[in-house]
Amino acid sequence: MYFTQLAAASLAIGLTTAAPAPTAQWGGNWGNWGNWGHHGKPPGKPPGGGAPTPKINVQLGPRPYYLVDNMDEGPLKKKLESCKEEPKSTSSFSISHRGAPLMFPEHSKQGYDAAARMGAGIIECDVSFTSDRELVCRHSNCDLHYTTDILAHPDLAAKCTEPFTPANPENGTAASAKCCTSDITLAEFKSLCAEMEATTLNALSINQSTPYFGRIGITPDWRTNMYAYSCAEPMSLKDQIQLVEGYGLNFTAEAKTPEIPMPFQGDYTQEDFAQQIVDTFKNYSIAANRVWLQSFLPDDIFYWIANDPAFGEQAVYLDERADLSTDGYQTAVDSLPDLAARGVKIIAPSIWQLITADNATGQIVPSSYAVAAQKAGLEIITWSFERSGPLEVEGGGYYYESVANLINNDGDEYTVIDVIAQKVGATKIFADWVGTVTYYANCFGLV
Ligand SMILES: *[C@@H]1O[C@H](CO)[C@@H](O)[C@H](O)[C@H]1NC(C)=O
Ligand SMILES: *[C@@H]1O[C@H](CO)[C@@H](O)[C@H](O)[C@H]1NC(C)=O
Ligand SMILES: *[C@@H]1O[C@H](CO)[C@@H](O)[C@H](O)[C@H]1NC(C)=O
Ligand SMILES: *[C@@H]1O[C@H](CO)[C@@H](O)[C@H](O)[C@H]1NC(C)=O
Ligand SMILES: *[C@@H]1O[C@H](CO)[C@@H](O)[C@H](O)[C@H]1NC(C)=O
């Protein structure tokens, strides 16, 4: 998703290791349908079609338990405590945002594996494209210099849109670089290692002689570089589809807002890009009702509605208008009935837009945005939990900014999730560490 604010949760405790390759077991006897190799060919349509049943031994790790223990006393804490010893399963309420980037390099195989293990029903690929027009999972078109080790490959670094310039501590100039997926081919992209989203550039200037030059950046102390030292594998959309399908899970793919001038190479338009995403899923015989396409650009949503209605039916309009101008929030609220009339079914604003502080009662309640979306008949999804630092700090920062005065401990995250689920009525929630959301969903029967 778009927002690059560094935020999320604390505690460097989690899964001990990335999950092993899944052994897909389907409800029916589909043989090895879920097990074709990493570079395998797409399978034919499974006999009988329909959605596979995920069979994953879901493990949430200690973090949800820590959060429940950290909550203020009350009925919600009691309810969440009552589920502690029950087994947990995959939930369609739980969407993996970029894999599991609280602790694993974003959009890496290892991060997606961690998300599947933590019960995500849906796993996200933010889609960008390479110079040979192959689709790859990256949070933005031009983030390779801070989400991969491209700067440690001199031959590839030389292809960056803007080359690496070291910082100059003498005059206070920061280091810079700009490396886009479209600067390199798919094969070159696959030769990279994914790394934690980090402010690597100034570190690079200072530490050029270290063995991890270009690899390991300055990760916030509430995330970890633990899983970045070995090479985390970046993935194409095709790789990601095969991996997620192997787990029997569902998909969300975002057409990234272009940072590369379009049409690319003179003739590759934004519409071609939006269509290529759909065609990739079709080529793997993935049913449209298992794919949530998303975009911050309303035109992408309208394109899918007009050109591929089965996919357009559940396309998600990611709404960040409130962050772009001072009257953006109200403009967005006022536009919801019109968006619904134009065929948009699902709206996804950030968490803070959906809630507000009722200062008279000290309660967190649905915002005017949430009420208007309900009234317009729109389904609501939100982003992204576990992307803030510790909630003790500054009321949780960006994602909680509309209720900051009511947030003061990590356990408050569940208070907010509860309002979003029960009062706002969101059907799905993105998280950087899905175990937290999967725990809530299982406890409340949202599976
Ligand atoms: C995937 O989507 C299909 C169709 O909406 C649904 O039936 C199935 O339960 C979903 N699977 C998961 C794991 O959420
Ligand atoms: C700082 O020094 C670099 C050369 O190392 C130069 O390119 C840059 O323009 C200088 N910046 C300022 C603000 O003086
Ligand atoms: C450079 O590397 C040293 C030794 O590994 C480390 O202590 C220091 O924090 C690094 N500096 C930056 C800015 O990353
Ligand atoms: C889908 O498959 C067709 C036929 O093999 C191929 O021509 C097309 O390029 C593929 N499209 C995508 C987006 O992979
Ligand atoms: C609630 O109070 C806080 C300060 O205590 C204030 O910043 C916030 O705007 C108030 N919220 C509403 C909805 O009035």
Side-chain angles (χ1 to χ4, degrees):
M1 316 243 328
Y2 186 68
F3 224 81
T4 55
Q5 243 91 348
L6 292 175
S10 64
L11 275 210
I13 303 174
L15 299 177
T16 47
T17 175
T23 308
Q25 305 273 329
W26 310 109
N29 181 14
W30 296 353
N32 281 336
W33 190 71
N35 268 341
W36 9 285
H38 190 61
H39 301 286
K41 288 207 165 56
K45 225 179 171 53
T53 307
K55 286 278 165 61
I56 297 168
N57 174 13
V58 169
Q59 297 292 317
L60 304 184
R63 180 161 171 78
Y65 297 85
Y66 159 81
L67 292 173
V68 172
D69 291 345
N70 187 258
M71 289 176 72
D72 303 328
E73 298 307 321
L76 179 61
K77 178 171 185 169
K78 283 214 160 58
K79 168 75 178 164
L80 290 170
E81 280 174 339
S82 74
C83 314
K84 277 186 170 177
E85 306 311 331
E86 288 166 13
K88 306 296 188 290
S89 56
T90 296
S91 170
S92 58
F93 186 76
S94 196
I95 310 181
S96 150
H97 178 245
R98 310 191 201 178
L102 175 57
M103 299 198 200
F104 289 83
E106 66 185 53
H107 290 305
S108 67
K109 176 183 184 296
Q110 289 70 18
Y112 298 139
D113 285 337
R117 184 60 59 198
M118 291 190 285
I122 300 172
I123 299 187
E124 181 189 49
C125 171
D126 288 324
V127 186
S128 186
F129 53 87
T130 58
S131 61
D132 46 353
R133 301 189 188 181
E134 293 285 345
L135 301 181
V136 294
C137 303
R138 278 296 100 192
H139 161 254
S140 72
N141 289 159
C142 300
D143 69 10
L144 294 181
H145 52 290
Y146 63 88
T147 68
T148 74
D149 67 342
I150 191 167
L151 295 176
H153 299 251
D155 52 329
L156 300 181
K159 300 184 178 186
C160 290
T161 295
E162 291 171 18
F164 173 61
T165 309
N168 183 346
E170 307 277 300
N171 68 12
T173 308
S176 68
K178 185 177 183 183
C179 304
C180 305
T181 56
S182 57
D183 292 337
I184 57 175
T185 64
L186 175 64
E188 289 167 338
F189 175 83
K190 285 195 174 200
S191 74
L192 302 176
C193 302
E195 67 162 35
M196 296 297 285
E197 176 187 19
T199 48
T200 46
L201 294 172
N202 285 311
L204 281 176
S205 304
I206 296 161
N207 278 347
Q208 297 205 18
S209 57
T210 70
Y212 295 104
F213 167 67
R215 290 280 311 281
I216 306 299
I218 302 169
T219 295
D221 62 7
W222 39 268
R223 290 187 178 151
T224 178
N225 280 323
M226 180 72 88
Y227 304 106
Y229 282 83
S230 64
C231 185
E233 192 182 323
M235 300 204 104
S236 67
L237 177 61
K238 289 176 185 171
D239 295 335
Q240 205 258 9
I241 290 173
Q242 294 179 53
L243 181 74
V244 173
E245 185 67 343
Y247 279 117
L249 302 176
N250 288 339
F251 307 87
T252 182
E254 179 180 336
K256 292 312 307 188
T257 303
E259 287 176 49
I260 299 158
M262 300 294 269
F264 175 61
Q265 295 172 339
D267 66 340
Y268 183 70
T269 64
Q270 182 71 12
E271 291 74 22
D272 292 336
F273 171 55
Q275 186 63 49
Q276 189 179 347
I277 296 172
V278 175
D279 291 345
T280 305
F281 284 99
K282 284 184 177 169
N283 275 8
Y284 283 94
S285 303
I286 308 291
N289 69 355
R290 297 180 52 214
V291 183
W292 282 265
L293 299 176
Q294 7 152 15
S295 181
F296 282 99
L297 299 178
D299 283 349
D300 289 345
I301 308 295
F302 297 137
Y303 173 84
W304 288 318
I305 291 171
N307 293 282
D308 249 301
F311 284 86
E313 179 73 17
Q314 55 183 30
V316 179
Y317 176 26
L318 303 164
D319 191 353
E320 65 172 344
R321 290 172 292 171
D323 293 326
L324 302 181
S325 67
T326 46
D327 58 358
Y329 176 87
Q330 196 53 45
T331 304
V333 171
D334 295 342
S335 75
L336 296 174
D338 180 55
L339 285 170
R342 296 182 66 185
V344 176
K345 298 271 198 298
I346 310 176
I347 193 90
S350 57
I351 296 161
W352 75 260
Q353 298 182 61
L354 289 172
I355 50 178
T356 190
D358 180 345
N359 285 334
T361 63
Q363 301 293 303
I364 295 171
V365 296
S367 67
S368 56
Y369 187 116
V371 172
Q374 291 166 350
K375 228 171 129 188
L378 290 163
E379 186 180 333
I380 301 168
I381 293 178
T382 196
W383 41 278
S384 291
F385 282 96
E386 298 287 39
R387 206 165 168 70
S388 305
L391 299 194
E392 280 80 359
V393 181
E394 292 171 1
Y398 167 78
Y399 292 96
Y400 297 87
E401 69 186 26
S402 54
V403 295
N405 61 311
L406 301 180
I407 300 288
N408 61 11
N409 57 349
D410 288 335
D412 287 338
E413 183 172 351
Y414 274 129
T415 307
V416 175
I417 289 176
D418 188 57
V419 173
I420 298 268
Q422 309 299 335
K423 301 211 169 98
V424 170
T427 56
K428 296 171 177 47
I429 289 179
F430 279 96
D432 277 27
W433 194 249
V434 286
T436 301
V437 173
T438 305
Y439 184 98
Y440 178 91
N442 273 260
C443 208
F444 281 85
L446 308 170
V447 287

